[in-house]
Amino acid sequence: QVQLVESGGGLVQAGGSLRLSCAASVSIFSINAMGWYRQAPGNERELVAVMRSGSVINYADSVKGRFTISRDNAKNTAYLQMNSLKPEDTAVYYCYIRFYGNDYWGQGTQVTVSS
């Protein structure tokens, strides 16, 4: 079974930084896509950033210039570096991969940004 284990969430003041990690139980070298979504209370889950085949990266407009997605193939781990955090970034962040045509999700990690 494919498992994704997230870590790195927490409470931070506005303007601060956090780095989220997502460790996969399978090789991520040749996956179709790997990335991050988030969901705030009362809102739908939304795309934050995704890395697709060929290393094409897409970011939500709201995080461009502040967030950076990356991965370490040797560790089967993806990262989301979040800088200049804003209160509106507060949400549960979910790692996901598309692997052989199926979607897999992490357990979610809470990010809270205080004013």
Side-chain angles (χ1 to χ4, degrees), residues 32-115:
N32 291 322
M34 189 168 193
W36 298 86
Y37 283 70
R38 67 186 182 188
Q39 187 168 19
N43 294 339
E44 296 183 352
R45 189 173 297 184
E46 65 176 350
L47 174 70
V48 177
V50 62
M51 303 177 66
R52 305 189 186 278
S53 297
S55 298
V56 176
I57 300 173
N58 296 106
Y59 294 96
D61 288 342
S62 59
V63 307
K64 287 180 179 177
R66 300 187 298 119
F67 290 11
T68 303
I69 188 172
S70 63
R71 70 185 188 186
D72 185 333
N73 290 333
K75 297 181 178 180
N76 293 327
T77 300
Y79 303 94
L80 184 68
Q81 179 66 46
M82 305 183 294
N83 298 326
S84 301
L85 283 162
K86 304 175 181 179
E88 51 263 45
D89 295 318
T90 296
V92 178
Y93 284 70
Y94 297 91
C95 176
Y96 90 96
I97 62 170
R98 172 157 285 191
F99 185 72
Y100 286 97
N102 295 312
D103 293 337
Y104 300 89
W105 296 90
Q107 81 279 10
T109 184
Q110 177 71 47
V111 172
T112 302
V113 184
S114 62
S115 301

Side-chain angles (χ1 to χ4, degrees), residues 13-25:
Q13 292 185 335
S17 298
L18 287 172
R19 189 181 73 159
L20 307 183
S21 298
C22 175
S25 64

